[in-house]
Amino acid sequence: MRFTRAYSSLSGAIPPAKAKYVPSAGTYPRGFQASGVFVGVKPGNTSKPDLALVTSDRPCAAAAVFTKNKFQAAPVSFSRTLLRNKANAGLRSVIVNSGNANAVTGIGGLEDAASMAQTTDQRVGAEDSTIVMSTGVIGQRLPIQKIIDHIPVACHQAGDSHKHWLNCAKAICTTDTFPKLMSRTFALPASPGIEYRIAGMTKGAGMLAPNMATLLTILATDAPVAPSIMTPLLRHAVDRSFNSITVDGDTSTNDTVALLANGAAGGTEVASAASPDYDALRTVLTDFAADLAKYIVRDGEGATKFVTIRVVDAATEDGARQVARSIALSPLVKTALYGKDANWGRILCAAGYALITPPTHAPTDADDIAPEKTNVSFIPTDGSPELKLLVNGEPEQVDEARASQILEMEDLEILVRLGTGDKSTTHWTCDFSHDYVTINGDYRT
């Protein structure tokens, strides 16, 4: 049967297997409102919300991490410049369209991004205060007048209920099969009597690899945070969440993760990286971002498995990350997982070439991998004992029936012990199926 994940897939029903990830309620940060409205940016979209707005009733400290792709979309260039000029202070809103990436669109694309921001600024009454995001097909100009005409609608319909936030999360989706929205509460040491709140939404299902993925993410909190520490807070969280997921190894032109903090809940401002509040907030933000990022992997195009790759006992954290990413990116590993084949040789092979230098570079003496110390195991998600595949460089007699049983599960953990140190990392990925090719073969249509 032919798989038909539509470009604007949320116009249809959410698959039953994914419905459990969609929240039915939430606790959202004070002072923020959200909306998602229909514009029809992409001609084939006749009903799905495709213009999203998150806005604060007061100025926010803000930061963003952007794609490293050299062909960066107009909204990326616009928003990076805005945050630099504003020194991460005085931001109010994020406006997002799906259906068109506004990427590789020249000077006209930059003008369109600026028009989206200026129109939003006018509606919220704050000049130079709007971050812009776009996602969709590359190389086509936005139907900018349609978008501009609907920004007042998005502002008028904004609210602080769960329904408002969920509609907003739906509006940023493209090939996603479910809206990815989360919220939670937390406390900070210096203000123990205050319940702080954080909410976030993200989109992405394909073109997923570190630096970052084809994703857009909006994070908002009512905690008071100084603009000067927003960037290191966010970068730490992104490196351990959105830069630790992989679907297919492609890095897009539009990737943006933005964080806004408006301080509406009150309390002592988190003003220094040396404070206990900074450590506490960084942990909350990192854990929250990681949980949100996992939703993207679970919705990977054509994916049938959610795979956690843990690399432990490494000499360096960077080496552990490179090994984990190499395994996550390997088409041979990913297709074996789809085929339920316990082909651990492919895992070992991907680990083995993770740290080698390109042919044009001089070789390096990497101490992260010692074949005689390397161990590879499958960790079942049902709590049963690990299945050892390789122990100190020696192959185990694998129980193929047990391996097949483990690989039948939707969730799987691959554990690699390098035996060269005490550093570790975690990476999340999925398998490769026939449907991935079908989905991306039909992407523009």
Side-chain angles (χ1 to χ4, degrees):
M1 184 178 71
R2 182 177 174 81
F3 188 96
T4 55
R5 182 192 288 229
Y7 180 89
S8 297
S9 57
L10 292 187
S11 57
I14 296 171
K18 305 295 177 66
K20 61 187 176 184
Y21 302 121
V22 182
S24 58
T27 304
Y28 298 101
R30 302 165 186 87
F32 283 98
Q33 293 189 327
S35 67
V37 301
F38 169 74
V39 174
V41 173
K42 187 175 175 67
N45 176 27
T46 59
S47 61
K48 184 189 88 72
D50 53 0
L51 183 66
L53 172 72
V54 174
T55 187
S56 170
D57 63 6
R58 65 200 72 193
C60 303
V65 176
F66 301 99
T67 179
K68 291 184 178 179
N69 193 305
K70 293 298 184 183
F71 291 95
Q72 297 188 349
V76 169
S77 298
F78 175 88
S79 298
R80 177 185 282 113
T81 300
L82 174 69
L83 286 164
R84 185 189 308 121
N85 291 342
K86 299 278 287 187
N88 288 4
L91 281 295
R92 289 278 297 273
S93 308
V94 181
I95 190 75
V96 189
N97 76 272
S98 61
N100 185 311
N102 191 12
V104 198
T105 47
I107 295 174
L110 286 169
E111 292 172 347
D112 290 344
S115 294
M116 290 175 63
Q118 291 163 5
T119 305
T120 308
D121 288 344
Q122 292 168 2
R123 299 299 299 188
V124 302
E127 187 177 355
D128 296 331
S129 69
T130 301
I131 293 170
V132 182
M133 302 181 187
S134 298
T135 183
V137 176
I138 295 170
Q140 299 178 6
R141 287 289 298 275
L142 289 172
I144 188 62
Q145 194 58 51
K146 290 173 68 175
I147 294 173
I148 295 303
D149 289 346
H150 282 82
I151 288 177
V153 179
C155 294
H156 177 72
Q157 293 187 7
D160 58 7
S161 72
H162 173 67
K163 182 178 180 181
H164 288 100
W165 281 86
L166 187 59
N167 283 340
C168 188
K170 290 178 180 178
I172 68 175
C173 292
T174 52
T175 59
D176 309 66
T177 65
F178 68 95
K180 301 165 181 66
L181 173 67
M182 285 176 46
S183 64
R184 63 183 53 159
T185 61
F186 63 97
L188 294 174
S191 306
I194 297 177
E195 177 192 79
Y196 291 110
R197 302 173 181 181
I198 185 171
M201 64 188 73
T202 190
K203 63 80 52 182
M207 284 186 79
L208 286 170
N211 293 326
M212 288 169 298
T214 180
L215 63 88
L216 302 181
T217 303
I218 305 169
L219 305 169
T221 180
D222 53 17
V225 186
S228 60
I229 64 171
M230 290 288 283
T231 296
L233 266 175
L234 184 59
R235 285 195 179 280
H236 179 92
V238 167
D239 279 346
R240 291 154 182 81
S241 57
F242 298 105
N243 273 347
S244 294
I245 59 175
T246 301
V247 168
D248 52 17
D250 273 356
T251 297
S252 183
T253 54
N254 291 60
D255 315 326
T256 304
V257 177
L259 170 65
L260 283 74
N262 68 2
T268 303
E269 182 181 63
V270 186
S272 167
S275 72
D277 277 2
Y278 180 89
D279 291 338
L281 180 58
R282 189 175 72 171
T283 297
V284 168
L285 181 62
T286 301
D287 291 346
F288 184 85
D291 288 343
L292 197 56
K294 292 174 190 176
Y295 282 164
I296 296 175
V297 177
R298 290 194 180 278
D299 201 25
E301 291 170 343
T304 69
K305 296 194 183 313
F306 177 85
V307 185
T308 299
I309 299 171
R310 281 202 303 133
V311 177
V312 303
D313 301 337
T316 65
E317 185 175 350
D318 183 63
R321 286 185 182 182
Q322 290 186 59
V323 170
R325 288 173 177 173
S326 183
I327 296 168
L329 286 167
S330 168
L332 292 179
V333 171
K334 294 161 82 69
T335 50
L337 293 173
Y338 173 67
K340 304 178 179 63
D341 180 6
N343 193 339
W344 58 266
R346 293 181 176 182
I347 298 171
L348 203 65
C349 181
Y353 64 65
L355 301 176
I356 63 175
T357 56
T360 54
H361 291 60
T364 59
D365 294 325
D367 297 324
D368 290 88
I369 295 179
E372 70 279 4
K373 297 179 180 179
T374 302
N375 294 257
V376 178
S377 297
F378 286 157
I379 308 296
T381 55
D382 61 1
S384 57
E386 69 179 285
L387 179 64
K388 296 180 179 180
L389 307 172
L390 185 77
V391 176
N392 294 327
E394 295 289 335
E396 291 289 282
Q397 186 66 42
V398 177
D399 182 343
E400 294 292 343
R402 175 67 178 139
S404 296
Q405 186 180 47
I406 293 171
L407 290 170
E408 285 288 342
M409 301 177 191
E410 179 182 349
D411 287 23
L412 169 70
E413 180 179 317
I414 297 172
L415 175 62
V416 179
R417 298 182 180 94
L418 295 180
T420 55
D422 60 359
K423 304 302 181 183
S424 62
T425 195
T426 303
H427 201 101
W428 299 281
T429 191
C430 59
D431 56 347
F432 260 164
S433 71
H434 304 287
D435 288 336
Y436 178 84
V437 177
T438 301
I439 292 163
N440 284 284
D442 292 343
Y443 185 75
R444 292 205 306 164
T445 55

